Amino acid sequence: MSTTASEMYETTVGLEIHVELSTNSKMFCACPVDFGGDPNTRVCPVCLGMPGSLPVPNQMAIEYTMKIAAALHCDIARFHEFHRKNYFYPDMPKNYQISQYDHPIGTKGYVEVTGDFGTKRVGINRVHLEEDTGKSTHVGGSGRIADSDHSLVDFNRAGTPLVEIVSEPDITSAEEARAFVTELRAILESLDVSDVRMEEGSMRVDANISTRLTGAPEYGAKVEVKNMNSIRSVGRALEFEEKRQRKALDDGETLVQETRHFDEKTGTTSSLRTKEFAFDYRYFPEPDMVPFEPDQAWIERVRGSLPELPASKRARFAEIYGLSDKEIQTLTTTSATAGWFEEAVAAYGGEAKKISNWILADLYGLLNESGQELSDGKIAPAQLAALVKLVDDGAISGKQAKEVITVMFETGDDPAKVVEERGLKQVSDTGAIEVFVDEVIAENPDAVEKIREGKDGTLGFLVGQVMKKSRGQANPAMVNDLLRSKIN
Amino acid sequence: MSELLWKSAKELSEALSNKEVSAVELAQAMLARADEVDPKIHAFLKRTDEIALEQAKAADERRARGETSSAFDGVPVAYKDIFCTKGVTTTMGSKILETFVPPYSATVVERCEAAGLTMLGKLNLDEFAMGSSTEWSAYGPTKNPWDLERVPGGSSGGPPALIMSGGVPWGWGTDTGGSVRQPAALCGCVGVKPTYGLVSRYGIIAFASSLDQAGPFARTVEDAAILLMLAAGHDPMDATSIPQEVPNYLDGIDAGIQGMKIGIVKEFTDTEGLQPGVKQRVDEAYTRLERLGAELVEISLPSFQYAISAYYLVAPAEASSNLARYDGVRYALRSDEGTDIVKMTSRTRDEGFGPEVKRRIMLGTYALSAGYYDAYYGKAQKTRSLIIKELDAAYEKVDLIVSPSSPDTAFKFGAKTADPLSMYLSDIFTVPVNMAGNAGISIPCGLSPDDNLPVGLQIIAKSLDEKTMFRAAHAFEQDLGFASDPGMRPQI
Ligand SMILES: [Zn+2]
């Protein structure tokens, strides 16, 4: 009996996800939370850490965090307390971060994830609330701090409410990690508490990955992987890292605890720093705030106000729309997409599957090219429903509809208008088609003869000739029927 | 004009109201007095003559229109240089903030401005309010008007020195471990440490956040109560501010102390280092209280003995974190010696902070370190809980507690700077009040027979019971007659 490499080792992954909340104002001051803008324009004495300024906690951020905790099936703490995490960093205004330490808002939750690996629960260790830092830009050299001429700091982001979600080390492959992040992102998106855009940094994923011999009592050396800017990157980085670690162990190397940087271009990771010493953050309770106990009614209200979460939505889609798992997965990626789909189905009134086909086969292609979300596009759900109805009614052909949808995608016009303007109306008028059919029969006596002899394949040629004469506007099914009846 | 200099703010308010004097004349008189005395006492870090005169002019104009911002519209005030003042340098007595001009004012300053008080300037303090003598000020010490060779106490040494030189009727300090009450005692005026959370900390540069509390200085108990009322009350900008109405402390302030139960702390009676002259005056004060109708009750507060030790873990720990922001990145001092961020930050802090501040940052950093947290910071917090518990129990039996404010009278320059511990013990009677968060006041109880320097009596009330505290302090003050006696003023 031989042991394959994949059975010999086991991979352990734990994820730390930071999510910027989309509250109106920052965590401890009244500055607006927004993306972009000129550097240092959304700042005040509090988020700049000016002497004498004091933090006042944002109740909305606390509620959002409780919402997240509830959606992740966490226990919600009855005692909230902020701590200071002390370390020096130039883009951290106070040189400590107000965070939560031994009293996180949520603990002991889970996320259920599904994939080719089956269905599994990934535990959530904690959900806590803290403040984000500013951003440094290093000018000169390679753009890294070490060889730069000088650095610039923008504090617009400083003080944005940030939720940290820490998973248990329950993830055993890159695929599971990807599925976990996808599901978590969908959950957060459905809660409408964050933009969850990994590319813009409103959702940031760090992974801890280790490899050990299957069944070994201790975990392998923990490697932290950073700079994964998309869900795809999470998968690629962890796949690479899993292979690298296994190969290293195969080669008899000892893995060390370190932080590695993922390079998007090469798809590889490289060492940033080894952990020679652990940082001592000197956590202590934040004396500028008083601990507080949210009342049970508030917690109950938050739990009761949760929207339909992705898992329930998927179950419902399977039950009432009869779609495949793959279709459901795509249509429920975001609640906006799912909402769009449901609106289109409702406007259409027919088989949901047809709407799904149009979205997945046609609209997604167009959206991918333009990098838009379904709900960002110019086409309204009712317009897609109207287009499908035109095809159903035989007003236009399926082929024409594909042309129409391309125009709709660009202009946002109603399908009827596009059909009208482009003269795409399918000719279903028997009289008009009959003229073309008669002409074609008269012009192609040889072909007609062949069909009479039973060579059906030639019928297609004649249909094509009719379509040509009608400049593609004839209803092909009617042409077919007419040709047959006239020849035979 | 010189007769105005020693009037109380309450009397000045009447004089303004009766048009006996204008706000501009008042400000001019006080500024002229500063010209005279400040070269001797060095109370000011920054004089704001222009602002004072401008505000005084505006106050006079309001009054001419028949309007006033408050009964005290046009009365001068001065602030310890820990209060942020919009557009006016706020140094915290430190080189690291030498060029810091805040774009905002502390809530205390805003409220006093709203009441029409005119700002004469920013007053001296120990650097970052760490010290009991102002000798740690990066800009040189303030001198005690009773004896220019002695300290005024600290850290808020500037305000009481100026007040007892007739330079201003009242002023604001902050009290983290005794920094209002001890200098009030050493300068012979009234100083209050209100209940934690009564006065907003917004815009007051932090030393130790869970202990810092702004407090008024004045020559009379009534003035102190009034100045406190002008700024006290909930502030949404401070999450530790108490959302509660502030009572009128003057209501019933004359009611006396007949029948009040006043506690004397057993553990304080044989305090090491308690000067005989101080002990004598304070014992006399107890007798006076008894004669005024109070019942003296001996109480035991064993945890008070550990208050200083616990305080010197909690306060430096919080300070080590609060002072981390002075890194040269965003404002004020930046060393140009550093070639990278680590060197720049450490050079800035090395050049900008003085020795006592550095000592406390190190102490605090150590107390919070992994592996030491439980033994130091954790234990200190437990001691703090114990102090609160014992005090709560004591207040079941008594209405107020009394003690000396300071173990000694004003000491000579240099007497304690070489021995940090002896300096720390200056706060032995005041620190437990900060640790518990309740209220305390220091009022003069005479001059020490040892050296003819003022002695302070501390009256400690339970949290938010400032009213009872002021009532007793006022009764004592009226009976003793110290504040109203022109003979009980420093000859400066
Ligand atoms: Zn802000």
Side-chain angles (χ1 to χ4, degrees):
Chain A
M1 216 176 94
S2 71
T3 311
T4 66
S6 64
E7 286 168 339
M8 204 172 122
Y9 294 116
E10 55 188 21
T11 300
T12 306
V13 178
L15 297 174
E16 274 179 33
I17 292 102
H18 285 93
V19 183
E20 280 180 0
L21 297 182
S22 51
T23 45
N24 297 326
S25 54
K26 290 186 181 181
M27 188 60 226
F28 300 112
C29 64
C31 292
V33 167
D34 215 342
F35 187 79
D38 286 340
N40 299 313
T41 51
R42 284 193 304 276
V43 291
C44 73
V46 176
C47 58
L48 283 176
M50 303 283 275
S53 67
L54 292 172
V56 177
N58 180 336
Q59 294 300 306
M60 186 58 77
I62 290 167
E63 178 154 328
Y64 278 13
T65 311
M66 294 205 292
K67 234 177 174 175
I68 293 171
L72 302 182
H73 311 282
C74 287
D75 295 346
I76 296 178
R78 297 300 311 277
F79 178 84
H80 294 186
E81 186 176 38
F82 285 96
H83 270 64
R84 286 188 186 176
K85 182 180 183 181
N86 295 283
Y87 63 102
F88 279 85
Y89 206 78
D91 58 23
M92 191 164 59
K94 302 182 292 292
N95 284 315
Y96 59 81
Q97 180 189 31
I98 303 177
S99 181
Q100 291 184 316
Y101 182 54
D102 49 3
H103 294 285
I105 289 179
T107 50
K108 290 186 271 180
Y110 66 88
V111 172
E112 203 160 78
V113 290
T114 306
D116 294 342
F117 50 84
T119 294
K120 78 181 286 180
R121 271 186 186 187
V122 175
I124 297 296
N125 177 286
R126 61 189 281 143
V127 175
H128 80 240
L129 181 56
E130 58 191 28
E131 56 177 338
D132 209 346
T133 60
K135 271 184 192 164
S136 302
T137 311
H138 308 297
V139 182
S142 67
R144 295 251 186 116
I145 191 166
D147 61 351
S148 61
D149 295 330
H150 61 274
S151 302
L152 299 170
V153 197
D154 174 10
F155 292 102
N156 280 351
R157 198 182 68 176
T160 299
L162 195 65
V163 165
E164 182 175 318
I165 301 165
V166 182
S167 89
E168 295 291 355
D170 292 343
I171 298 164
T172 59
S173 68
E175 195 202 339
E176 284 178 19
R178 200 163 30 213
F180 173 83
V181 178
T182 306
E183 183 66 7
L184 181 63
R185 187 182 179 282
I187 293 171
L188 295 170
E189 200 272 343
S190 75
L191 297 175
D192 197 20
V193 294
S194 168
D195 292 341
V196 284
R197 298 202 173 162
M198 287 186 73
E199 300 74 20
E200 288 181 1
S202 57
M203 177 170 173
R204 309 196 278 272
V205 179
D206 296 327
N208 288 308
I209 174 168
S210 66
T211 306
R212 63 175 160 182
L213 281 171
T214 302
E218 305 277 334
Y219 289 121
K222 193 166 79 178
V223 172
E224 190 180 2
V225 185
K226 288 187 171 291
N227 194 42
M228 299 172 291
N229 298 324
S230 66
I231 292 178
R232 190 167 159 262
S233 299
V234 172
R236 286 172 74 211
L238 293 179
E239 262 160 34
F240 174 84
E241 195 50 30
E242 184 177 60
K243 277 190 200 127
R244 185 192 70 83
Q245 293 189 6
R246 289 179 181 209
K247 179 162 187 308
L249 292 175
D250 274 344
D251 293 349
E253 290 171 27
T254 308
L255 292 166
V256 291
Q257 188 177 336
E258 62 180 337
T259 301
R260 297 180 73 87
H261 181 90
F262 176 65
D263 185 334
E264 192 76 45
K265 277 189 214 129
T266 60
T268 59
T269 66
S270 58
S271 188
L272 264 184
R273 57 178 175 267
T274 51
K275 286 222 166 151
E276 284 149 356
F277 62 94
F279 276 105
D280 183 355
Y281 292 120
R282 292 174 282 118
Y283 278 101
F284 74 102
E286 168 55 275
D288 283 332
M289 280 182 263
V290 275
F292 70 99
E293 296 173 12
D295 59 32
Q296 195 61 38
W298 189 17
I299 295 176
E300 291 309 320
R301 192 167 53 73
V302 168
R303 284 198 190 276
S305 70
L306 289 184
E308 182 183 41
L309 295 175
S312 327
K313 183 162 280 168
R314 287 194 298 267
R316 186 167 60 81
F317 273 35
E319 201 186 311
I320 67 169
Y321 298 132
L323 303 172
S324 73
D325 284 352
K326 186 114 194 152
E327 287 170 311
I328 294 172
Q329 195 69 46
T330 316
L331 289 171
T332 57
T333 318
T334 69
S335 48
T337 301
W340 199 101
F341 166 75
E342 294 208 272
E343 243 183 86
V345 170
Y348 175 53
E351 209 188 327
K353 182 91 182 164
K354 278 197 184 167
I355 296 290
S356 159
N357 285 345
W358 274 99
I359 294 175
L360 300 180
D362 297 279
L363 264 181
Y364 263 54
L366 296 164
L367 288 164
N368 279 344
E369 276 170 36
S370 67
Q372 283 177 308
E373 297 267 337
L374 188 53
S375 49
D376 301 335
K378 284 186 179 160
I379 302 183
Q383 290 178 314
L384 177 66
L387 177 70
V388 181
K389 272 189 205 155
L390 285 178
V391 179
D392 284 353
D393 298 346
I396 53 170
S397 67
K399 202 174 156 210
Q400 287 174 323
K402 285 183 196 297
E403 190 184 331
V404 173
I405 202 167
T406 312
V407 177
M408 288 166 71
F409 185 79
E410 271 157 27
T411 61
D413 286 343
D414 280 343
K417 188 180 173 216
V418 178
V419 166
E420 190 70 45
E421 278 175 5
R422 302 232 153 187
L424 287 175
K425 221 164 180 69
Q426 175 165 271
V427 180
S428 302
D429 169 359
T430 323
I433 296 173
E434 228 175 332
V435 176
F436 296 134
V437 168
D438 289 342
E439 277 177 32
V440 167
I441 288 174
E443 285 163 11
N444 297 284
D446 292 355
V448 171
E449 199 49 42
K450 276 182 186 164
I451 294 164
R452 286 199 176 120
E453 282 164 12
K455 288 184 181 164
D456 241 18
T458 318
L459 187 67
F461 167 70
L462 294 181
V463 172
Q465 293 301 306
V466 176
M467 294 306 286
K468 217 177 200 171
K469 279 184 187 287
S470 74
R471 278 178 291 130
Q473 295 186 6
N475 181 330
M478 287 180 68
V479 173
N480 218 344
D481 288 350
L482 269 174
L483 276 169
R484 263 186 206 287
S485 66
K486 293 219 175 214
I487 291 169
N488 296 321
Chain B
M1 281 292 149
S2 68
E3 74 276 13
L4 289 170
L5 300 176
W6 292 95
K7 284 204 184 309
S8 70
K10 196 182 164 198
E11 289 163 340
L12 291 177
S13 150
E14 281 155 19
L16 282 162
S17 162
N18 298 336
K19 317 261 160 131
E20 289 161 26
V21 67
S22 72
V24 168
E25 285 166 343
L26 253 187
Q28 280 167 341
M30 304 270 169
L31 292 168
R33 180 64 175 165
D35 289 342
E36 213 170 276
V37 295
D38 205 50
K40 296 179 197 160
I41 59 169
H42 186 233
F44 282 94
L45 287 183
K46 183 170 183 74
R47 281 177 53 170
T48 52
D49 296 29
E50 275 179 33
I51 294 174
L53 294 169
E54 202 177 290
Q55 289 175 336
K57 192 165 160 259
D60 285 336
E61 283 165 7
R62 279 192 294 273
R63 220 175 264 277
R65 288 198 303 270
E67 299 164 14
T68 48
S69 300
S70 76
F72 303 89
D73 202 350
V75 175
V77 70
Y79 304 95
K80 182 184 188 179
D81 203 21
I82 193 173
F83 291 85
C84 286
T85 39
K86 188 175 179 177
V88 177
T89 323
T90 302
T91 69
M92 195 62 173
S94 179
K95 285 285 174 198
I96 212 158
L97 286 174
E98 189 167 12
T99 58
F100 177 59
V101 181
Y104 46 91
S105 284
T107 300
V108 167
V109 175
E110 275 190 353
R111 291 187 180 179
C112 287
E113 252 174 42
L117 303 194
T118 57
M119 175 170 77
L120 300 184
K122 308 294 292 291
L123 307 182
N124 203 8
L125 69 158
D126 285 291
E127 182 180 7
F128 276 92
M130 297 172 186
S132 304
S133 68
T134 71
E135 288 169 286
W136 294 125
S137 168
Y139 305 98
T142 294
K143 290 162 189 173
N144 194 313
W146 292 85
D147 178 347
L148 298 176
E149 287 174 9
R150 292 175 187 264
V151 304
S155 62
S156 320
L162 187 62
I163 289 166
M164 291 312 289
S165 304
V168 69
W170 55 15
W172 279 100
T174 60
D175 189 315
T176 304
S179 284
V180 167
R181 290 160 290 162
Q182 184 257 12
L186 269 51
C187 291
C189 66
V190 177
V192 181
K193 199 297 276 188
T195 302
Y196 183 82
L198 183 64
V199 181
S200 169
R201 288 184 298 117
Y202 191 82
I204 297 172
I205 301 178
F207 158 18
S209 312
S210 74
L211 300 157
D212 294 346
Q213 181 61 207
F217 287 98
R219 286 187 296 260
T220 69
V221 172
E222 274 186 326
D223 272 7
I226 292 164
L227 188 56
L228 178 57
M229 282 192 287
L230 290 181
H234 185 241
D235 178 10
M237 297 294 278
D238 176 358
T240 61
S241 143
I242 299 168
Q244 206 168 297
E245 284 284 311
V246 180
N248 186 341
Y249 302 131
L250 301 184
D251 275 355
I253 199 166
D254 288 320
I257 56 170
Q258 183 67 45
M260 261 191 205
K261 287 185 178 155
I262 296 182
I264 292 169
V265 186
K266 196 177 111 200
E267 286 77 10
F268 279 166
T269 42
D270 295 315
T271 301
E272 217 181 302
L274 181 61
Q275 277 180 2
V278 171
K279 186 171 165 31
Q280 189 187 323
R281 288 291 177 252
V282 171
D283 284 343
E284 286 166 14
Y286 298 163
T287 311
R288 186 181 297 273
L289 290 168
E290 205 168 20
R291 195 166 51 66
L292 289 169
E295 182 192 338
L296 299 182
V297 182
E298 189 181 68
I299 52 168
S300 175
L301 296 163
S303 66
F304 272 35
Q305 301 167 66
Y306 309 110
I308 280 272
S309 314
Y311 172 86
Y312 276 97
L313 292 165
V314 173
E318 292 179 7
S320 71
S321 174
N322 282 333
L323 272 58
R325 68 190 63 195
Y326 308 106
D327 57 5
V329 173
R330 283 147 298 131
Y331 43 76
L333 183 71
R334 176 189 290 176
S335 167
D336 45 20
E337 279 189 39
T339 49
D340 62 36
I341 182 69
V342 175
K343 285 192 202 107
M344 186 277 278
T345 299
S346 51
R347 288 302 305 150
T348 298
R349 291 167 70 77
D350 188 32
E351 289 167 24
F353 289 139
E356 181 61 23
V357 171
K358 286 178 185 164
R359 176 160 34 238
R360 301 224 194 168
I361 290 174
M362 283 192 284
L363 264 174
T365 304
Y366 188 76
L368 290 173
S369 301
Y372 298 100
Y373 181 92
D374 290 339
Y376 295 122
Y377 189 79
K379 215 167 201 174
Q381 288 295 18
K382 279 185 193 141
T383 306
R384 203 168 173 181
S385 305
L386 198 63
I387 293 171
I388 294 169
K389 224 173 108 189
E390 285 185 7
L391 260 179
D392 283 348
Y395 282 116
E396 298 278 307
K397 286 182 250 164
V398 298
D399 301 303
L400 296 166
I401 294 168
V402 286
S403 79
S405 300
S406 161
D408 45 17
T409 54
F411 44 92
K412 293 212 161 162
F413 288 106
K416 297 186 181 184
T417 41
D419 179 6
L421 269 185
S422 71
M423 187 80 89
Y424 297 171
L425 287 172
S426 298
D427 291 335
I428 191 157
F429 300 118
T430 48
V431 150
V433 181
N434 299 82
M435 293 294 272
N438 55 327
I441 188 171
S442 177
I443 51 171
C445 59
L447 301 181
S448 165
D450 298 340
D451 47 23
N452 254 351
L453 290 167
V455 175
L457 171 74
Q458 180 177 223
I459 303 177
I460 308 168
K462 57 185 157 202
S463 285
L464 293 173
D465 195 16
E466 277 79 3
K467 204 169 176 183
T468 308
M469 178 181 85
F470 284 127
R471 195 176 120 197
H474 179 72
F476 181 90
E477 177 190 76
Q478 296 302 302
D479 193 62
L480 180 67
F482 184 95
S484 52
D485 181 357
M488 290 290 141
R489 286 175 198 159
Q491 299 306 308
I492 181 162

